[in-house]
Amino acid sequence: MLAERTTRIGVSPTMKVAAEAMRLKAQGVDIVDLGAGEPDFPTPRHVSEAAHAAIDANFTKYTTNSGTDELKRAVCARYKADYGVEYSPSETIITAGGKQALYNAAMCLFGAGDEVITHMPGWPTLVEQIKLADATPVVIRTHAEDGFALHAESFIGAMTPRTRGIVINSPGNPTGALISETELARLADEAAARGIWILLDLCYERLIYSDTPHNLPGVLAARMKDRTVLCGSASKAYAMTGWRCGWALGPAALVSACNALQSHSTSNVCSITQKAAVAALTGPQDCVLDMLEEYRRRRDQLWTWLAAEPRLRVLKPEGAFYLFIDVSDFLSPDGIRTTADFAQALLDEAHVALTPGEAFDAPGFVRISYATSLGELQRGAERILQFVRSVEHHGRAAAGA
Ligand SMILES: Cc1ncc(COP(=O)(O)O)c(C=O)c1O
């Protein structure tokens, strides 16, 4: 009854626990929500003020489909300042979040018969978008043992004559892992030689805690700018998830195709949002650093609390705002069998919402977002510790039942 393409994609499994958490909250249950994939901070004041000014000035009409020239220039200037790469407005499109930037690029570059390599555990949308473009996702796996590092050789080993593109998310959701410049350079040399595109999902690019060099745009610009797409977003860096503003930078011909696609689907991003994004990108950047420092404090504190339980195997992420925890020690055939069950039991019994690893193709793991206050994190950590320490009893109870 529905079009065939709808059978290829599914709603993210993260939704089930999130919907249940919302239902319980609405009933007045005291839920500690560690599921959110978005900053808890308010949008910086100077950004919101720019939006108010836009409304007052009646800047409320359609803009150019691909975004205002002012905002495109602001994006280009930001990437020039941060990475030293040169892009012009004709190589820039403003999109409804990083998600649409990635979607446009996938739809304009990939098609039937193409293979596109990406990595898991990872953000499920990347795989779903490849499928929506009628291409075949080829997934390489990263591993907790080496911090979920992305290795050029794994990507290269997955290349075939049909490989058309590679999609990399760094810092990664849910692992927080970065691809190193050296690994990306090695991969780019191989991709360039084979005419393969590289799409970078840089959604968390401003949220990096380590001093690991991360000039990925520079690495690609030096080797294969003609087959590079940079997808970025105001969402996480400036606490602007609801405003829906992202961008893609790439060769003018690709940007022009993305523009055509967008012109027949969503058209321009909200005019007011675009004014706000200009303020975000060109205004003082201390707000980004202040939020980063607060995330760092939360990461370190939450890690310390949870690492007190050795069966919770917790890595300290290099970027983003998630702890990705191996909880497989608490799973058993006669107790809690899967991490989806773990998340449900934790919600039912301890009233803590988090995201099960199945959502990221990583059964055995759970994702905790620390984009919430330290107070909430402490309450959450206490409940989680109490819950996991009671889990052995679960197994016995289930076996006896
Ligand atoms: C890895 C990753 N990429 C891209 C996005 C897209 O975010 P937005 O569309 O809000 O820019 C997200 C959002 O959660 C994400 O986790």
Side-chain angles (χ1 to χ4, degrees), residues 48-326:
S48 300
E49 281 169 358
H52 284 289
I55 296 173
D56 291 342
N58 204 25
F59 190 73
T60 52
K61 313 290 184 199
Y62 291 132
T63 71
T64 314
N65 177 70
S66 58
T68 62
D69 214 47
E70 183 190 25
L71 179 51
K72 288 185 205 168
R73 286 186 197 286
V75 171
C76 295
R78 184 83 261 142
Y79 279 70
K80 169 90 173 139
D82 289 352
Y83 301 115
V85 292
E86 299 276 356
Y87 282 89
S88 66
S90 65
E91 297 167 308
T92 309
I93 180 167
I94 307 303
T95 56
K99 191 177 266 187
Q100 190 182 26
L102 290 155
Y103 179 77
N104 284 347
M107 293 302 278
C108 292
L109 287 173
F110 311 140
D114 293 336
E115 290 176 1
V116 181
I117 307 171
T118 189
H119 51 98
M120 284 287 167
W123 189 49
T125 295
L126 298 177
V127 169
E128 300 302 304
Q129 290 185 344
I130 295 166
K131 290 196 243 164
L132 279 170
D134 297 332
T136 305
V138 175
V139 170
I140 62 149
R141 299 206 65 85
T142 61
H143 304 284
E145 295 70 46
D146 64 353
F148 297 101
L150 288 159
H151 299 291
E153 288 313 317
S154 320
F155 287 99
I156 294 168
M159 288 177 184
T160 74
R162 289 168 58 192
T163 306
R164 169 98 171 136
I166 296 170
V167 186
I168 296 174
N169 171 219
S170 177
N173 171 10
T175 63
L178 311 179
I179 185 165
S180 75
E181 291 182 0
T182 323
E183 292 294 324
L184 184 64
R186 162 96 185 88
L187 177 60
D189 287 338
E190 195 66 32
R194 300 188 193 209
I196 295 171
W197 287 80
I198 296 187
L199 274 61
L200 283 185
D201 175 359
L202 293 170
C203 179
Y204 295 94
E205 66 192 309
R206 310 289 294 280
L207 301 180
I208 298 178
Y209 309 100
S210 63
D211 351 309
T212 315
H214 196 254
N215 187 347
L216 309 186
V219 167
L220 294 186
R223 288 168 177 80
M224 47 175 292
K225 194 166 176 236
D226 60 336
R227 285 186 199 272
T228 293
V229 190
L230 308 177
C231 297
S233 171
S235 289
K236 319 281 177 172
Y238 300 104
M240 288 180 71
T241 43
W243 299 75
R244 308 310 300 134
C245 188
W247 46 80
L249 303 173
L254 168 68
V255 165
S256 166
C258 292
N259 182 28
L261 180 72
Q262 187 164 301
S263 75
H264 297 299
S265 48
T266 59
S267 296
N268 66 271
V269 170
C270 166
S271 56
I272 301 153
T273 287
Q274 292 192 59
K275 283 288 186 189
V278 169
L281 289 162
T282 61
Q285 300 296 298
D286 334 6
C287 52
V288 180
L289 296 177
D290 291 348
M291 288 188 268
L292 178 66
E293 283 319 304
E294 180 57 25
Y295 287 133
R296 184 199 303 281
R297 237 188 319 276
R298 295 169 179 183
R299 175 194 68 157
D300 293 348
Q301 185 59 69
L302 183 62
W303 184 88
T304 307
W305 284 326
L306 294 178
E309 168 55 67
R311 291 175 300 168
L312 286 174
R313 291 197 289 271
V314 201
L315 292 173
K316 251 193 206 181
E318 284 194 272
F321 41 59
Y322 308 108
L323 291 188
F324 199 50
I325 308 175
D326 181 347

